């Protein structure tokens, strides 16, 4: 998996992450801005991490959301999944990208 920047986002599309790290950063920033930590049960242990999977279409629209790895906290899992669902678009994929969609994982650490 290509890692974009130092963030919790991975794109499993060949060298997309190394060629278009700025786009991976857009994904990270938009999901983080839409993550409402107040939805998470405060008893959830610090460092608990949910991994959310979703696809991003050529037009930049996310879909097919699912929890890849549960954090063990149902409220954290739901909150992280909702954060990805709240994003309307990440913007169209870069012109040089040949992908029809991106397979993205977002690690959501409490």
């Amino acid at each position: 998996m290509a890692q974009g920047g130092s963030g919790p986002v991975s794109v499993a599309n060949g060298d997309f992450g190394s060629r278009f790290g700025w786009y991976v950063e857009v994904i990270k920033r938009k999901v983080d801005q839409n993550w409402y930590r107040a939805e998470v049960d405060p008893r959830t242990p610090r460092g608990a991490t949910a991994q959310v999977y979703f696809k991003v279409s050529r037009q930049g629209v996310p879909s097919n959301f699912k929890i890849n790895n549960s954090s063990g906290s149902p409220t954290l899992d739901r909150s992280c999944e909702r954060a990805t669902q709240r994003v309307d678009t990440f913007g169209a994929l870069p012109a040089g990208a040949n992908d029809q969609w991106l397979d993205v994982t977002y690690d959501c650490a409490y």
Side-chain angles (χ1 to χ4, degrees), residues 61-72:
V61 178
S63 65
N64 295 30
F65 310 94
K66 70 176 185 178
I67 298 294
N68 260 2
N69 293 314
S70 173
S71 64

Side-chain angles (χ1 to χ4, degrees), residues 1-2 8-13 16 23-24 27-28 31 51-57 62-66 68 84 90 93 101-107:
M1 283 192 176
V9 176
S10 297
V11 176
N13 293 61
F16 184 92
Y23 191 89
V24 177
I27 294 172
K28 174 185 169 188
V31 173
Q51 186 181 73
V52 183
Y53 164 88
F54 56 97
K55 286 186 172 293
V56 176
S57 73
S63 65
N64 295 30
F65 310 94
K66 70 176 185 178
N68 260 2
T84 61
F90 295 106
L93 297 188
W101 65 82
L102 299 180
D103 291 302
V104 178
T105 55
Y106 180 84
D107 292 336

Side-chain angles (χ1 to χ4, degrees), residues 36-55:
Y36 305 146
R37 288 155 181 83
E39 295 175 335
V40 181
D41 184 329
R43 295 169 296 189
T44 299
R46 290 186 84 80
T49 303
Q51 186 181 73
V52 183
Y53 164 88
F54 56 97
K55 286 186 172 293

Side-chain angles (χ1 to χ4, degrees), residues 89-101:
T89 181
F90 295 106
L93 297 188
N98 298 322
D99 306 278
Q100 290 307 306
W101 65 82

